[in-house]
Amino acid sequence: MMTQTLVTETPAAWKDGKRGLWMMGVLWPALPLISAALALSTGMGLFWWLTPVVIYGVLPLLDRLVGEDRVNAPESAVAALENDRYYRLATFLFIPVQYICVIGGAWLAVSGGLPALDILGLAVSVGLVSGAGINTAHELGHKRENLERWLARITLAPAMYGHFYVEHNRGHHVRVATPEDPASSRLGESFYAFWPRSVWGSLTSAWHLEKVRLERQGKSVWNWRNDNLQSWAMTLVLFGGLALWLGPIVLPFLIFQGFIGFSLLEVVNYLEHYGLVRQKEASGRYERCKPEHSWNSNHTVTNLMLYHLQRHSDHHANPMRRYQALRHFEQAPQLPSGYAGMIVVAMIPPLWRSLMDKRVLAHYQGDVTRANIHPPVREKILAKYGAAQPQTLEA
Amino acid sequence: MDRYECNGCSYVYDESRGDIHNGYPAGTLFSALPDDWCCPDCAVREKPDFVKLEETAA
Ligand SMILES: [Zn+2]
């Protein structure tokens, strides 16, 4: 599965049905530009809210209508699929559109003479692009090539989340689906309890990782080779440059959209491992990360908008696979909808709990003690589900 | 000097090169890496998962 296999059939025999559609990823950062064009040409302020309406409303509907795609590329086609540079281009193109969005948005907010409510819609829209930028950076930051790794950090800058580059690969992936991981949410933990734990825990972990790495090199953490400092410097250059051009009045806009951006990442983090945990082996090590330690979603439309991020089970089991080659696994737990719909659900904790707790329980055949339970509500959860009989999901 | 390969993602730890970025200078033996060391590329496979490559050094 993981090793290089000899090609026995001609890879050309298999065609990726989604190949052309991967350009849809660029549509996300284009949304605020489309909304600005509509708002400015019609004079209708409502159009400034088009981006959140599309993401929170239209995408979940499209996921429902279009449904799921469980197709996996045959292993014989994977090498050619991964080496096809077109797929890389589809991620690279996100970046200029993203930057037009944040720079153009900042300029419009300051110089557009817009009413406050319209500026708010614009800021939320640009923030949702910065958040999707973290997704693009995520795909790029996992790669071995220097170009992609540099682009990852440029893409993180508008969301003020440069340390994601450090923490995601060396922190989150190592500790995923364990109680030690700040970015793995727990059964019974609401998004609003998870948000501060993940934001703060990821920041401190990223700092610690670089401190330890640089100390091994005999250097201080306060060194320009600190990847956190380098990445944060990109945000400072971007925000500082815009403040010099447009005046410091632009800073509240930039900071607010960054907050929206990284909060979008955090709500997505919240969905990805809710309640799932790797069991400890006799050796004291956690069992190896397998597809069953991440929630998966095959909903086609959101997958196309997010470079297969929702094929998350394969991503964590095999992080070096490029997005176009990520697979669906039958044994992976499945989210009831795509991320676009699930992030709305996550923001309404009672709805989230009623949809997801039973799925966590079903995944563990009714044995709640095998789940990652949020410690402050552990007793309540055990009392509620502890005696439950093995459950099956009603459709 | 030996080489050890990640059995998941094919990353190779080469003792003669070490992993300078992560603070392991050239010549750091695989056995000298910390017990909780994991693959710097995939972060899924850990030290015990690595396979020593049987080869004559180039
Ligand atoms: Zn590896």
Side-chain angles (χ1 to χ4, degrees):
Chain A
M1 178 169 76
M2 256 66 75
T3 47
Q4 299 283 328
T5 46
L6 286 171
V7 177
T8 46
E9 31 186 307
T10 48
W14 186 80
K15 284 244 184 312
D16 175 14
K18 290 191 282 194
R19 190 174 186 276
L21 294 172
W22 285 117
M23 283 295 166
M24 276 171 67
V26 185
L27 205 60
W28 189 305
L31 283 172
L33 304 177
I34 296 167
S35 104
L38 288 170
L40 293 171
S41 61
T42 64
M44 287 173 67
L46 271 180
F47 278 119
W48 292 109
W49 295 89
L50 181 73
T51 305
V53 167
V54 168
I55 291 166
Y56 297 130
V58 176
L59 287 185
L61 269 176
L62 285 174
D63 272 335
R64 229 202 149 84
L65 290 173
V66 176
E68 300 188 32
D69 161 44
R70 296 182 175 226
V71 172
N72 291 341
E75 283 308 298
S76 59
V78 165
L81 193 62
E82 293 225 339
N83 290 327
D84 184 345
R85 300 192 74 86
Y86 161 85
Y87 292 95
R88 262 165 256 196
L89 184 68
T91 53
F92 295 172
L93 281 178
F94 181 99
I95 304 167
V97 185
Q98 175 195 16
Y99 268 80
I100 292 170
C101 214
V102 65
I103 294 169
W107 173 75
L108 262 178
V110 171
S111 315
L114 301 172
L117 194 64
D118 296 3
I119 295 179
L120 184 65
L122 175 65
V124 169
S125 306
V126 172
L128 291 171
V129 169
S130 297
I134 304 180
N135 174 56
T136 308
H138 169 257
E139 173 64 24
L140 297 167
H142 269 293
K143 301 300 167 293
R144 292 185 170 109
E145 278 80 1
N146 275 326
L147 170 66
E148 286 170 286
R149 298 180 65 88
W150 266 100
L151 290 175
R153 304 163 79 179
I154 291 168
T155 313
L156 287 172
M160 317 185 291
Y161 238 44
H163 55 287
F164 177 86
Y165 173 81
V166 170
E167 168 58 17
H168 180 81
N169 291 22
R170 287 156 54 200
H172 174 60
H173 268 268
V174 173
R175 297 174 306 217
V176 63
T178 70
E180 287 80 35
D181 183 30
S184 297
S185 64
R186 302 157 175 165
L187 182 66
E189 183 179 34
S190 77
F191 169 60
Y192 302 100
F194 171 79
W195 187 94
R197 184 171 74 82
S198 185
V199 169
W200 181 249
S202 300
L203 180 71
T204 51
S205 170
W207 185 257
H208 179 75
L209 284 168
E210 278 301 89
K211 184 168 180 283
V212 170
R213 180 179 76 84
L214 289 162
E215 276 170 359
R216 269 198 302 263
Q217 290 188 3
K219 297 188 179 96
S220 156
V221 68
W222 296 102
N223 183 296
W224 67 273
R225 288 184 180 276
N226 182 325
D227 283 338
N228 293 315
L229 295 178
Q230 282 186 13
S231 301
W232 292 333
M234 293 185 190
T235 302
L236 276 181
V237 167
L238 174 66
F239 287 14
L242 287 170
L244 278 177
W245 172 38
L246 298 164
I249 189 74
V250 76
L251 290 174
F253 173 88
L254 292 172
I255 291 166
F256 177 75
Q257 68 78 34
F259 164 82
I260 296 288
F262 73 73
S263 296
L264 177 63
L265 165 81
E266 292 299 353
V267 72
V268 166
N269 271 339
Y270 179 76
L271 322 173
E272 288 175 335
H273 308 283
Y274 180 74
L276 303 176
V277 74
R278 288 150 63 195
Q279 310 298 331
K280 255 201 176 138
E281 292 176 341
S283 64
R285 287 176 188 276
Y286 284 107
E287 64 176 315
R288 184 185 291 162
C289 180
K290 295 192 297 249
E292 40 273 60
H293 298 121
S294 313
W295 291 94
N296 191 66
S297 164
N298 288 305
H299 290 83
T300 313
V301 177
T302 309
N303 260 331
L304 288 170
M305 297 289 280
L306 293 177
Y307 306 112
H308 253 167
L309 180 67
Q310 307 177 127
R311 288 265 175 103
H312 211 62
S313 302
D314 194 16
H315 167 66
H316 266 276
N318 302 287
M320 300 312 288
R321 275 194 171 238
R322 289 180 177 272
Y323 72 92
Q324 64 270 29
L326 289 174
R327 291 157 296 180
H328 158 72
F329 283 99
E330 282 303 326
Q331 72 267 37
Q334 304 290 325
L335 290 173
S337 177
Y339 283 5
M342 294 312 290
I343 57 181
V344 180
V345 173
M347 288 188 272
I348 311 166
L351 185 58
W352 173 267
R353 297 282 305 274
S354 75
L355 268 178
M356 291 303 295
D357 284 16
K358 63 184 180 191
R359 285 182 164 80
V360 174
L361 224 59
H363 178 66
Y364 290 116
Q365 282 92 40
D367 183 1
V368 73
T369 60
R370 288 171 61 207
N372 188 7
I373 303 175
H374 191 42
V377 293
R378 189 175 177 86
E379 295 307 318
K380 266 169 89 176
I381 294 269
L382 288 178
K384 192 170 174 191
Y385 302 122
Q389 294 302 306
Q391 294 192 352
T392 46
L393 266 181
E394 67 265 46
Chain B
M1 293 276 123
D2 289 316
R3 295 173 2 115
Y4 292 80
E5 187 177 45
C6 171
N7 67 357
C9 76
S10 311
Y11 165 84
V12 173
Y13 181 81
D14 183 339
E15 290 179 335
S16 65
R17 290 160 162 264
D19 178 0
I20 291 164
H21 180 74
N22 284 308
Y24 303 110
T28 304
L29 295 180
F30 186 75
S31 59
L33 294 172
D35 283 341
D36 63 355
W37 183 84
C38 69
C39 175
D41 273 1
C42 71
V44 175
R45 305 303 163 106
E46 299 173 323
K47 198 174 172 184
D49 298 317
F50 273 63
V51 181
K52 187 173 166 180
L53 294 174
E54 302 295 337
E55 58 189 355
T56 46

